[in-house]
Amino acid sequence: MKTTHNELKPEKERDIDMINAEAALKRASRRARERAWSAGVGVVYLKDGRIVQEMSDGTIRMEEPGVGPAQVIE
């Protein structure tokens, strides 16, 4: 860990393994979407505290936290 001119706030170096892991996760999510859509099913994930469903026909359904069924967003 490097230290800057201000010893109270050390500058953190990004770990090369974490950089590679982030790139691998992005590739995996892209492949998962492609495989799901080619099978005609949607992909479900959590974004900003909401459940999101991306369907193979391009529709996106988002559920408000604690509200109930998902709303279709065109």
Side-chain angles (χ1 to χ4, degrees):
M1 183 168 24
K2 295 181 185 178
T3 55
T4 61
H5 64 280
N6 182 355
E7 293 293 322
L8 298 176
K9 293 184 178 181
E11 181 182 307
K12 294 182 182 179
E13 294 182 31
R14 287 201 62 195
D15 184 5
I16 191 70
D17 290 332
M18 293 303 289
I19 294 169
N20 291 335
E22 183 179 340
L25 286 169
K26 288 179 181 179
R27 284 193 307 271
S29 67
R30 184 175 52 245
R31 286 184 191 148
R33 280 181 173 82
E34 291 169 359
R35 291 186 70 186
W37 292 338
S38 69
V41 296
V43 178
V44 179
Y45 57 91
L46 189 65
K47 181 178 181 180
D48 299 328
R50 297 177 176 178
I51 297 173
V52 179
Q53 299 175 359
E54 289 184 22
M55 307 308 285
S56 59
D57 62 1
T59 58
I60 298 175
R61 297 172 186 251
M62 296 182 76
E63 183 176 313
E64 292 291 331
V67 173
Q71 305 274 329
V72 177
I73 299 174
E74 301 287 336

